[in-house]
Amino acid sequence: MPFVVMSGRSSIHSGSVLARLLWLLIISSAATCCCCSSAAGNISTSNDVIVRCMEREKHALLQFKQGLDDSNALASWESKEDCCEWRGVACDNQTGHVIMLDLYYYSFDINDTRLGGEIGPSLLELPYLYYLDLGANSLSGMIPKFIGSLSRLKVLKLGYNSFSGFIPPQLGNLSNLHTLDLLGNSVTSENLEWVSQLSSLRYLNMSNANFSIAVDWPQSISQLPSLIELQLGSCNLPDVDMASLSFINSSTSLQVFDLSSNFLSSSVFCWIGNVSKNPVFIDLSNNRIKGPTPDAFTNMDSLLSLDLSDNQLEGGIPKSFRSLCRLEKLNLLSNNFSDRLEQSIGNLSCAQDTLKSLYLGDNLWWGSFPDDLTRFVSLEELDIHNATMSGSLPESFRQLSQLRTLSLSHNRLSGSFPDVTGLSLLSSIDLSYNQLNGSLHDSLGQLSSLIEIDLSRNSLNVVLTEAHFLNLSELLSLDVSYNPACSFHVSLSWNPPFQLYVLKMASCKVGPAFPKWLHAQQRRLWLLDLSNAGISDSIPYKFWDLSCSLVQLNLSINQIQGKFPNLSSRNCSIYYIDLSSNRFSGALPPFHPNVGVLLLSKNKFLGDLSSICSTQASSLEILELSDNLLSGELPNCWVQYKLLLLLNLANNSFSGKLPSSFGSLEYLYQFQLQRNNFSGELPSLENCTQLAFVDLGFNNLSGKIPAWIGSSLKKLWVLQLRSNHFSGSIPSSICSLPHIRVLDLSQNNISGVLPHCLNKLTAFSSVSREVDDLPFLSDFALQLFWKGAETEYGKNFRYLRSIDISSNNLAGVIPENITYMLGLRSLNLSRNNLTGVIPGKFGQLEVLEVLDLSRNHLSGSIPDSFRNLHSIAVLNLSINNLSGRIPSSTQLLTFTESSFAGNVGLCGPQLTTKCPGDRPSEDPKVTGGTEGDGFITTGFYVSIEIGFFTGFVGVCLTLLRKTSWRCCSV
């Protein structure tokens, strides 16, 4: 049927693999549909009668428009009388019937607006419509059933909308349909029987739909005689035993399969083999395919692309791959392959002239880099990252003249960076996280197409010079971080050929001077990392002009001096600033409004924080100012930092009361104010319900421990109030903290009794080492007294289970139920006024490493269950009123008298006081006899000594009498 497009734009878009491989075939077989764009010039001339659109159909289109949420979305429809000239509308140039409606949203077209709302039934008044594309809009509701009555439809595209609910089975009535695209909607169907009725269908895309109970999907799809491309990715397709199905009279036309991200097993290969004679594209990534790769590829010599990534395949590349002589792309990423890589590569030899993309990374391949890979002369992309390859890259590596991207990171490769002469097309190199320990070949500087290179986390012994960058005019990203023997040496007048976006040279010797070429030439940088780079210079003022193009800046761990400038009024994009561990000084200026992360700890900043009140950095999430010389009272303007997640002001000289506006930080997650001079009571933090780490230790805070800590801060992992002046009793609500790992209330004036509910701290209830996956917002450091010494813990603190309430005024007994905290690793209740006996079941705490109950008034005996404390490393029960025998065990015998001293009635081998009935100490020189044996006595040894002396004197006198023995003749 001839037709003409009367609009300025109308096009066909598939957005699929078919566009690459098979779309031309579909166009040619549906020419009457797809000639619309080329027919735009077929409007009747002066010798023809001009046919305008039908009035009834025009009215139907206007009704459709009125049904949209935003009736202005198609405002242009009002400007022209003839609906055939409306945007997206095509009419037959003989009858005037609307035959095509293409309202796909083009994000690059400023005249386009997304359509919202629901599809109205007025489209039924367009009986000749055979092309309907409403893709990439915001249409919602259910897909209308009436669409199944548009019997002439050949193309239906509703992808990337917000449709939900069940797909109407009435769509199965569209017997002329050859393209159905429902991609990216939240729709579902209990079965796909309706699909089997679409006898003309060639392209089917219902990816992201939910077909979790549609067990008939294999049979329904196999009955489509003309289907060429099938896309059912992320559809929750259930695994079906394909061997039990009959494929008699099934279609064999399928060439393109996208069944990624489902629940399929290796039996799917059986189905593919039965519904396709000539498969071209197969994507089975992210399924549940286990074990060795099925030997199903012998007859798939037409295959161009195969993706089996993100499964659980084992072994090596199968021998059946020797038949894949046309293969262009192979993706086996993220499986459990564990073969010798050189051996597996041999099974791809038939594709050595065609293979362009090879992804083998994130597996357990072993052995050296395969020499045979250099025979794949068409190879453009090579990824073998995160394997266990060893050895060096072969000299033949440079034969891969078509190579564009190379990713060999996270291996065990050693030696030097290879000669890359001839690899002029290389645009990306990633050799990070290896063991490269040689030099860097100068040929690197000849890679004129190179865009990014990452050599970080190696042991390269290299001095980077201008020769290494000679012709790298396209370079955008350079990372040589963490090569301890790496240094950078260029002339002061060096003018780099590149304009970088990313520069990372952490732990690479760049200083002592701040690099001039950096602040003089690089104007596009958005990420700069020169941490631990040996810079002891001050930063040139011009650099801060450059910094306004930066998004992330890291100059930490240097000896940089000077002041931090006021960037608050500059037009900058900077979000992340890390200047920690330097020698910056002076007062803190107002922060830039765009800053989200500001790390300034371990410097020499001084003065107060009054500048933060004039800062409008509403996006600030992390503020680290610890270990400086800051002082004064904190301002009460924290309400303007509502997004703050981490605040660390530790190790300064702040004083005064904590501001009440801290209570408005409802997203606060990590709160560290330890080692200052804060005083007064805690402000209410009841609204800070996301708090996980609170360290207020070593201050002068006073008042009672608030009950809201237990009732509101349910996500707490660490509560450290050590060395303050808190008084009163411990609120029972403290037992309502399900995630608490470290509870330190030591060195305060807390009185009352130990809560009898401590066993309800559920994180202490199990000995399991498994912990929740807790994200850390920065380099978290917790000062914890462990095994008698103050130790700094980082992220490994999560394995601790510690309670310290020592050096207070607690009275009463130790609750028996504390012995049910089976995960407890450290308990310190020393220096209190506890009375009563030690609970008898302490031996249940098998993982307990530290127990200190010293300097209390405990009485009774040490429970025999202490024999079971096999993990105990620090034990102190001294200065109590304990009595009786110390239980005997190998572990307890390792402790000295200091662990038990000051208990008058206590006895045992660790003490000088022996227990009644103990055997007296035996003379270590007596090695024979048994108890009651009277033969070996003291008199026995005296007799031996007298006899020896008498004999010795007799011999000497005899020698003196014999002259010949006294003189020596020569």
Side-chain angles (χ1 to χ4, degrees), residues 744-818:
D744 190 345
L745 308 179
S746 64
Q747 298 179 25
N748 281 284
N749 299 315
I750 300 170
S751 57
V753 299
L754 279 170
H756 284 249
C757 56
L758 287 176
N759 61 306
K760 294 182 180 180
L761 297 174
T762 54
F764 290 84
S765 63
S766 170
V767 299
S768 172
R769 289 183 63 88
E770 294 184 8
V771 295
D772 302 331
D773 184 17
L774 182 70
F776 289 81
L777 301 177
S778 72
D779 293 331
F780 177 78
L782 174 70
Q783 297 291 335
L784 179 68
F785 278 84
W786 179 258
K787 298 184 179 180
E790 189 172 19
T791 306
E792 183 174 292
Y793 282 85
K795 297 179 182 180
N796 60 336
F797 99 93
R798 65 177 65 202
Y799 297 107
L800 300 179
R801 302 289 188 279
S802 173
I803 295 177
D804 190 345
I805 319 180
S806 63
S807 300
N808 279 286
N809 298 314
L810 293 173
V813 301
I814 300 175
E816 178 74 28
N817 57 18
I818 206 169

Side-chain angles (χ1 to χ4, degrees), residues 179-190:
T179 297
L180 176 59
D181 185 352
L182 304 180
L183 165 68
N185 288 287
S186 300
V187 292
T188 186
S189 185
E190 294 180 350

Side-chain angles (χ1 to χ4, degrees), residues 155 247 252 342 351 444 446 565 570 576 633 656 670 896 923:
V155 175
F247 295 102
T252 58
E342 292 172 285
L444 172 66
Q446 302 302 319
R570 300 195 187 188
Y576 180 103
E633 296 188 7
Q670 190 168 323
T896 63
D923 190 331

Side-chain angles (χ1 to χ4, degrees), residues 685-794:
L685 302 178
E686 288 182 87
N687 294 327
C688 305
T689 55
Q690 302 301 312
L691 273 171
F693 304 94
V694 174
D695 190 347
L696 305 177
F698 299 96
N699 280 286
N700 297 309
L701 298 170
S702 58
K704 293 184 177 180
I705 297 176
W708 50 256
I709 289 180
S711 59
S712 298
L713 308 186
K714 298 292 187 181
K715 297 184 178 181
L716 268 183
W717 277 52
V718 173
L719 176 61
Q720 184 149 285
L721 303 180
R722 182 187 191 91
S723 192
N724 278 283
H725 302 296
F726 289 107
S727 57
S729 59
I730 300 173
S732 59
S733 62
I734 210 82
C735 299
S736 301
L737 299 173
H739 302 293
I740 198 77
R741 262 80 172 162
V742 176
L743 176 62
D744 190 345
L745 308 179
S746 64
Q747 298 179 25
N748 281 284
N749 299 315
I750 300 170
S751 57
V753 299
L754 279 170
H756 284 249
C757 56
L758 287 176
N759 61 306
K760 294 182 180 180
L761 297 174
T762 54
F764 290 84
S765 63
S766 170
V767 299
S768 172
R769 289 183 63 88
E770 294 184 8
V771 295
D772 302 331
D773 184 17
L774 182 70
F776 289 81
L777 301 177
S778 72
D779 293 331
F780 177 78
L782 174 70
Q783 297 291 335
L784 179 68
F785 278 84
W786 179 258
K787 298 184 179 180
E790 189 172 19
T791 306
E792 183 174 292
Y793 282 85

Side-chain angles (χ1 to χ4, degrees), residues 822-881:
L822 302 182
L824 190 63
R825 296 182 180 274
S826 177
L827 176 64
N828 190 346
L829 301 177
S830 66
R831 299 176 185 273
N832 279 286
N833 298 307
L834 298 173
T835 58
V837 299
I838 299 175
K841 295 183 179 180
F842 249 104
Q844 295 181 154
L845 306 180
E846 295 182 0
V847 298
L848 190 67
E849 298 178 37
V850 178
L851 176 62
D852 191 345
L853 303 179
S854 65
R855 297 180 182 275
N856 280 286
H857 305 292
L858 299 172
S859 57
S861 62
I862 300 174
D864 283 341
S865 66
F866 269 50
R867 304 172 190 264
N868 299 323
L869 296 178
H870 302 302
S871 299
I872 199 76
V874 175
L875 176 65
N876 193 348
L877 304 178
S878 65
I879 313 180
N880 278 285
N881 299 317

